[in-house]
Amino acid sequence: MAAVTKQSGVPVSIQRSTITPKKSGKSGLGVQLGTAGVAACVADLFTFPLDTTKVRLQIQGEGGQNNKSSGVLRTLFNIGRYEGPKALYSGIVPGLQRQMAFSAIRIGGYETVRELYQDLSGAKTGFQMLGIRIAAGITTGTLAILCAQPTDVVKVRMQAAGGKGQYKGVFDAYASIAREEGFKSGLYRGTGPNIARNCIINVGETVVYDVAKDYLISSNFMTDGIHCHLSSAVIAGITATLLASPVDVIKTRYMNSPRGKYSGVLQCVV
Protein backbone atom coordinates (compact mmCIF):
# COMPACT_ATOMS: atom_id res chain seq x y z
CA MET A 1 0.00 0.00 0.00
CA ALA A 2 1.34 3.46 -0.91
CA ALA A 3 0.25 6.90 0.32
CA VAL A 4 -0.07 9.80 -2.12
CA THR A 5 -0.48 13.35 -0.73
CA LYS A 6 -2.57 15.79 -2.75
CA GLN A 7 -2.17 19.59 -2.63
CA SER A 8 -4.93 19.69 0.01
CA GLY A 9 -2.57 17.82 2.31
CA VAL A 10 -4.95 14.88 2.74
CA PRO A 11 -3.17 11.55 2.19
CA VAL A 12 -4.89 9.18 -0.25
CA SER A 13 -4.19 5.46 -0.08
CA ILE A 14 -3.69 3.49 -3.27
CA GLN A 15 -3.97 -0.32 -3.10
CA ARG A 16 -1.32 -2.04 -5.20
CA SER A 17 -2.63 -5.16 -6.91
CA THR A 18 -0.42 -8.20 -7.28
CA ILE A 19 -0.64 -9.98 -10.63
CA THR A 20 -0.28 -13.71 -10.26
CA PRO A 21 0.50 -15.56 -13.51
CA LYS A 22 -1.94 -18.31 -14.38
CA LYS A 23 -0.61 -21.80 -13.97
CA SER A 24 -1.17 -24.18 -16.79
CA GLY A 25 -2.65 -27.52 -15.80
CA LYS A 26 -0.79 -29.29 -18.61
CA SER A 27 2.16 -31.48 -17.68
CA GLY A 28 5.57 -30.80 -19.18
CA LEU A 29 7.10 -32.90 -21.94
CA GLY A 30 9.37 -34.72 -19.52
CA VAL A 31 6.43 -35.79 -17.35
CA GLN A 32 4.47 -36.93 -20.41
CA LEU A 33 7.41 -39.01 -21.68
CA GLY A 34 8.04 -40.54 -18.27
CA THR A 35 4.43 -41.41 -17.46
CA ALA A 36 3.86 -42.89 -20.93
CA GLY A 37 6.95 -45.09 -20.58
CA VAL A 38 6.14 -46.27 -17.06
CA ALA A 39 2.50 -46.99 -17.94
CA ALA A 40 3.60 -49.03 -20.96
CA CYS A 41 6.04 -51.02 -18.79
CA VAL A 42 3.31 -51.84 -16.26
CA ALA A 43 1.03 -53.01 -19.07
CA ASP A 44 3.86 -55.07 -20.58
CA LEU A 45 4.38 -56.95 -17.33
CA PHE A 46 0.83 -58.27 -17.55
CA THR A 47 0.57 -58.83 -21.31
CA PHE A 48 4.07 -60.12 -22.11
CA PRO A 49 3.10 -63.84 -22.18
CA LEU A 50 0.53 -63.00 -24.86
CA ASP A 51 3.16 -61.02 -26.78
CA THR A 52 5.51 -64.03 -26.65
CA THR A 53 2.67 -66.22 -27.89
CA LYS A 54 2.06 -63.76 -30.73
CA VAL A 55 5.71 -63.90 -31.79
CA ARG A 56 5.68 -67.73 -31.79
CA LEU A 57 2.53 -67.78 -33.91
CA GLN A 58 3.98 -65.26 -36.34
CA ILE A 59 7.11 -67.32 -37.02
CA GLN A 60 5.12 -70.50 -37.67
CA GLY A 61 5.55 -71.57 -41.27
CA GLU A 62 9.10 -70.25 -41.62
CA GLY A 63 11.63 -72.55 -43.19
CA GLY A 64 12.80 -75.06 -40.62
CA GLN A 65 9.87 -74.31 -38.35
CA ASN A 66 6.94 -76.54 -37.54
CA ASN A 67 4.25 -75.77 -40.09
CA LYS A 68 1.47 -77.12 -37.91
CA SER A 69 -0.78 -74.22 -37.00
CA SER A 70 -1.84 -73.78 -33.37
CA GLY A 71 -4.26 -71.42 -31.73
CA VAL A 72 -3.42 -68.77 -29.17
CA LEU A 73 -4.39 -70.73 -26.07
CA ARG A 74 -2.73 -73.96 -27.24
CA THR A 75 0.50 -72.14 -28.10
CA LEU A 76 0.47 -70.34 -24.76
CA PHE A 77 -0.14 -73.61 -22.91
CA ASN A 78 2.53 -75.52 -24.85
CA ILE A 79 5.21 -72.89 -24.15
CA GLY A 80 4.50 -73.05 -20.45
CA ARG A 81 4.28 -76.85 -20.45
CA TYR A 82 7.34 -77.80 -22.50
CA GLU A 83 9.65 -74.83 -21.89
CA GLY A 84 8.49 -73.70 -18.48
CA PRO A 85 6.55 -70.60 -17.38
CA LYS A 86 9.79 -68.62 -17.43
CA ALA A 87 9.91 -68.96 -21.23
CA LEU A 88 6.73 -66.89 -21.49
CA TYR A 89 8.74 -63.99 -20.05
CA SER A 90 11.85 -64.59 -22.12
CA GLY A 91 12.85 -61.17 -23.45
CA ILE A 92 11.00 -59.19 -20.77
CA VAL A 93 14.07 -57.05 -19.95
CA PRO A 94 14.62 -55.75 -23.51
CA GLY A 95 10.84 -55.54 -23.72
CA LEU A 96 10.75 -53.09 -20.81
CA GLN A 97 13.73 -51.22 -22.23
CA ARG A 98 11.83 -50.97 -25.50
CA GLN A 99 8.73 -49.60 -23.78
CA MET A 100 10.67 -46.91 -21.93
CA ALA A 101 12.20 -45.69 -25.20
CA PHE A 102 9.47 -46.54 -27.70
CA SER A 103 6.20 -45.82 -25.89
CA ALA A 104 7.60 -42.77 -24.14
CA ILE A 105 8.28 -41.10 -27.48
CA ARG A 106 5.36 -42.56 -29.44
CA ILE A 107 2.68 -41.75 -26.88
CA GLY A 108 4.27 -39.19 -24.58
CA GLY A 109 5.54 -37.00 -27.40
CA TYR A 110 2.42 -37.20 -29.58
CA GLU A 111 0.48 -34.33 -27.99
CA THR A 112 3.47 -31.97 -28.04
CA VAL A 113 4.26 -32.71 -31.70
CA ARG A 114 0.58 -32.40 -32.65
CA GLU A 115 0.31 -28.98 -30.99
CA LEU A 116 3.56 -27.88 -32.66
CA TYR A 117 2.25 -28.84 -36.11
CA GLN A 118 -1.07 -27.20 -35.31
CA ASP A 119 0.64 -23.92 -34.36
CA LEU A 120 2.81 -23.99 -37.50
CA SER A 121 -0.09 -24.73 -39.85
CA GLY A 122 -2.89 -22.84 -38.13
CA ALA A 123 -5.21 -25.84 -38.50
CA LYS A 124 -8.29 -25.80 -36.29
CA THR A 125 -10.90 -28.36 -37.30
CA GLY A 126 -11.97 -30.87 -39.94
CA PHE A 127 -9.61 -32.53 -42.39
CA GLN A 128 -6.84 -30.09 -41.55
CA MET A 129 -6.73 -31.37 -37.97
CA LEU A 130 -6.95 -34.96 -39.23
CA GLY A 131 -3.87 -34.31 -41.37
CA ILE A 132 -2.06 -32.77 -38.38
CA ARG A 133 -2.86 -35.82 -36.23
CA ILE A 134 -1.65 -38.23 -38.90
CA ALA A 135 1.58 -36.24 -39.40
CA ALA A 136 2.21 -36.16 -35.64
CA GLY A 137 1.54 -39.90 -35.37
CA ILE A 138 3.96 -40.72 -38.19
CA THR A 139 6.62 -38.40 -36.74
CA THR A 140 6.57 -39.80 -33.20
CA GLY A 141 6.25 -43.38 -34.48
CA THR A 142 9.34 -43.02 -36.68
CA LEU A 143 11.42 -41.32 -33.98
CA ALA A 144 10.40 -44.01 -31.48
CA ILE A 145 11.56 -46.84 -33.74
CA LEU A 146 14.90 -45.19 -34.54
CA CYS A 147 15.59 -45.01 -30.80
CA ALA A 148 14.18 -48.39 -29.75
CA GLN A 149 14.98 -50.69 -32.70
CA PRO A 150 17.87 -52.62 -31.07
CA THR A 151 15.73 -53.42 -28.03
CA ASP A 152 12.94 -54.68 -30.30
CA VAL A 153 15.30 -56.98 -32.21
CA VAL A 154 16.70 -58.49 -29.00
CA LYS A 155 13.21 -58.89 -27.55
CA VAL A 156 11.93 -60.77 -30.60
CA ARG A 157 15.05 -63.00 -30.78
CA MET A 158 14.77 -63.94 -27.09
CA GLN A 159 11.03 -64.56 -27.35
CA ALA A 160 11.55 -66.82 -30.36
CA ALA A 161 14.39 -68.70 -28.64
CA GLY A 162 12.46 -69.20 -25.41
CA GLY A 163 14.07 -71.73 -23.12
CA LYS A 164 16.57 -73.06 -25.68
CA GLY A 165 19.46 -71.24 -24.01
CA GLN A 166 20.55 -69.47 -27.19
CA TYR A 167 21.59 -66.43 -25.17
CA LYS A 168 23.10 -66.35 -21.68
CA GLY A 169 21.32 -63.13 -20.89
CA VAL A 170 20.19 -59.77 -22.23
CA PHE A 171 23.65 -58.24 -22.61
CA ASP A 172 24.94 -61.42 -24.22
CA ALA A 173 22.09 -61.16 -26.74
CA TYR A 174 23.00 -57.57 -27.61
CA ALA A 175 26.70 -58.43 -27.87
CA SER A 176 26.16 -61.64 -29.87
CA ILE A 177 23.88 -60.03 -32.45
CA ALA A 178 26.19 -57.03 -32.86
CA ARG A 179 29.31 -59.21 -33.11
CA GLU A 180 27.93 -61.86 -35.48
CA GLU A 181 25.58 -59.80 -37.65
CA GLY A 182 26.79 -56.24 -37.27
CA PHE A 183 25.08 -53.05 -36.20
CA LYS A 184 23.04 -52.28 -39.32
CA SER A 185 22.25 -55.85 -40.37
CA GLY A 186 21.81 -57.08 -36.81
CA LEU A 187 20.57 -54.68 -34.16
CA TYR A 188 18.86 -52.46 -36.73
CA ARG A 189 17.58 -55.33 -38.85
CA GLY A 190 14.01 -54.81 -40.01
CA THR A 191 13.95 -51.07 -39.32
CA GLY A 192 11.97 -50.36 -42.50
CA PRO A 193 9.03 -52.70 -41.84
CA ASN A 194 9.13 -51.77 -38.17
CA ILE A 195 8.76 -48.08 -39.00
CA ALA A 196 5.89 -48.90 -41.38
CA ARG A 197 4.20 -51.06 -38.73
CA ASN A 198 4.51 -48.50 -35.97
CA CYS A 199 3.41 -45.59 -38.13
CA ILE A 200 0.26 -47.59 -38.90
CA ILE A 201 -0.19 -48.45 -35.22
CA ASN A 202 0.48 -44.90 -34.07
CA VAL A 203 -1.98 -43.45 -36.56
CA GLY A 204 -4.45 -46.23 -35.79
CA GLU A 205 -4.19 -45.78 -32.03
CA THR A 206 -3.56 -42.11 -31.32
CA VAL A 207 -5.31 -40.55 -34.32
CA VAL A 208 -8.32 -42.87 -34.28
CA TYR A 209 -8.53 -42.41 -30.51
CA ASP A 210 -8.59 -38.62 -30.91
CA VAL A 211 -11.16 -38.75 -33.71
CA ALA A 212 -13.37 -41.31 -31.94
CA LYS A 213 -13.35 -39.35 -28.69
CA ASP A 214 -14.15 -36.06 -30.43
CA TYR A 215 -17.00 -37.72 -32.35
CA LEU A 216 -18.51 -39.36 -29.25
CA ILE A 217 -18.44 -36.05 -27.37
CA SER A 218 -19.58 -33.77 -30.22
CA SER A 219 -22.42 -36.16 -31.14
CA ASN A 220 -23.59 -36.21 -27.50
CA PHE A 221 -23.26 -40.00 -27.32
CA MET A 222 -21.03 -39.62 -24.27
CA THR A 223 -19.57 -36.94 -22.05
CA ASP A 224 -15.85 -36.47 -21.59
CA GLY A 225 -15.04 -39.09 -18.94
CA ILE A 226 -13.73 -42.57 -18.27
CA HIS A 227 -16.44 -44.33 -20.31
CA CYS A 228 -15.71 -42.13 -23.34
CA HIS A 229 -11.96 -42.69 -23.00
CA LEU A 230 -12.33 -46.47 -22.69
CA SER A 231 -14.70 -46.67 -25.67
CA SER A 232 -12.34 -44.59 -27.80
CA ALA A 233 -9.37 -46.75 -26.73
CA VAL A 234 -11.20 -49.96 -27.71
CA ILE A 235 -12.08 -48.55 -31.14
CA ALA A 236 -8.50 -47.37 -31.67
CA GLY A 237 -6.94 -50.64 -30.49
CA ILE A 238 -9.08 -52.81 -32.78
CA THR A 239 -8.43 -50.52 -35.74
CA ALA A 240 -4.66 -50.49 -35.19
CA THR A 241 -4.48 -54.28 -34.81
CA LEU A 242 -6.44 -54.97 -37.99
CA LEU A 243 -4.37 -52.53 -40.03
CA ALA A 244 -0.93 -53.44 -38.71
CA SER A 245 -1.15 -57.23 -38.31
CA PRO A 246 0.22 -58.19 -41.78
CA VAL A 247 3.16 -55.78 -41.45
CA ASP A 248 3.77 -57.03 -37.91
CA VAL A 249 4.17 -60.61 -39.16
CA ILE A 250 6.69 -59.47 -41.79
CA LYS A 251 8.59 -57.43 -39.20
CA THR A 252 8.84 -60.33 -36.75
CA ARG A 253 9.97 -62.86 -39.36
CA TYR A 254 12.54 -60.49 -40.83
CA MET A 255 13.95 -59.58 -37.40
CA ASN A 256 14.14 -63.21 -36.32
CA SER A 257 15.72 -64.49 -39.54
CA PRO A 258 19.47 -65.28 -39.64
CA ARG A 259 21.69 -63.07 -41.72
CA GLY A 260 21.49 -63.90 -45.43
CA LYS A 261 18.18 -65.75 -45.31
CA TYR A 262 16.36 -62.91 -47.07
CA SER A 263 17.93 -60.58 -49.60
CA GLY A 264 15.54 -57.88 -48.46
CA VAL A 265 12.14 -57.09 -47.03
CA LEU A 266 10.34 -57.79 -50.31
CA GLN A 267 11.66 -61.35 -50.45
CA CYS A 268 10.41 -61.87 -46.90
CA VAL A 269 6.98 -60.60 -47.98
CA VAL A 270 6.90 -63.02 -50.93
Side-chain angles (χ1 to χ4, degrees):
M1 182 180 291
V4 179
T5 304
K6 292 186 176 181
Q7 292 182 355
S8 60
V10 180
V12 179
S13 296
I14 299 177
Q15 183 70 35
R16 289 179 178 175
S17 59
T18 302
I19 300 176
T20 304
K22 293 183 178 180
K23 293 183 178 180
S24 174
K26 180 183 174 182
S27 302
L29 178 60
V31 174
Q32 291 177 337
L33 295 176
T35 52
V38 171
C41 285
V42 173
D44 218 23
L45 289 172
F46 290 97
T47 61
F48 201 80
L50 290 174
D51 190 49
T52 300
T53 304
K54 181 203 73 170
V55 169
R56 296 294 185 90
L57 287 170
Q58 287 177 331
I59 62 176
Q60 282 183 356
E62 279 189 321
Q65 297 284 344
N66 186 2
N67 291 326
K68 185 178 179 180
S69 178
S70 301
V72 175
L73 293 179
R74 175 173 290 183
T75 302
L76 179 67
F77 176 75
N78 286 340
I79 295 172
R81 180 181 179 184
Y82 296 110
E83 301 178 39
K86 187 178 179 181
L88 292 170
Y89 278 90
S90 181
I92 184 62
V93 174
L96 295 177
Q97 293 170 346
R98 172 184 178 273
Q99 293 293 4
M100 282 305 298
F102 171 71
S103 294
I105 298 173
R106 183 178 73 91
I107 300 174
Y110 169 75
E111 185 177 350
T112 300
V113 174
R114 184 194 66 194
E115 291 177 352
L116 174 63
Y117 287 171
Q118 187 176 356
D119 291 340
L120 292 174
S121 65
K124 298 295 181 183
T125 57
F127 285 104
Q128 288 183 334
M129 273 307 300
L130 179 61
I132 292 298
R133 287 165 172 160
I134 292 174
I138 291 174
T139 300
T140 55
T142 302
L143 290 175
I145 287 302
L146 293 177
C147 292
Q149 178 70 10
T151 63
D152 206 2
V153 171
V154 173
K155 178 187 81 75
V156 168
R157 296 286 184 92
M158 294 186 74
Q159 285 177 311
K164 298 177 183 177
Q166 182 175 349
Y167 304 109
K168 297 177 182 178
V170 178
F171 292 107
D172 178 61
Y174 280 109
S176 297
I177 294 171
R179 181 177 61 253
E180 296 171 8
E181 302 177 40
F183 190 75
K184 181 180 178 181
S185 300
L187 292 175
Y188 271 85
R189 184 174 182 80
T191 302
N194 207 10
I195 288 176
R197 168 191 176 268
N198 283 286
C199 285
I200 293 172
I201 287 180
N202 216 27
V203 171
E205 286 183 351
T206 55
V207 176
V208 173
Y209 173 84
D210 266 354
V211 173
K213 186 178 72 172
D214 290 347
Y215 176 78
L216 291 173
I217 295 173
S218 62
S219 301
N220 295 322
F221 285 115
M222 294 182 179
T223 57
D224 190 2
I226 187 66
H227 293 91
C228 179
H229 295 180
L230 286 175
S231 300
S232 303
V234 169
I235 295 171
I238 293 174
T239 302
T241 301
L242 292 175
L243 291 175
S245 185
V247 185
D248 194 27
V249 174
I250 296 167
K251 180 218 74 167
T252 300
R253 291 198 178 187
Y254 194 66
M255 279 184 176
N256 188 56
S257 63
R259 186 176 184 180
K261 180 174 182 178
Y262 301 113
S263 60
V265 178
L266 292 179
Q267 186 185 6
C268 182
V269 173
V270 175

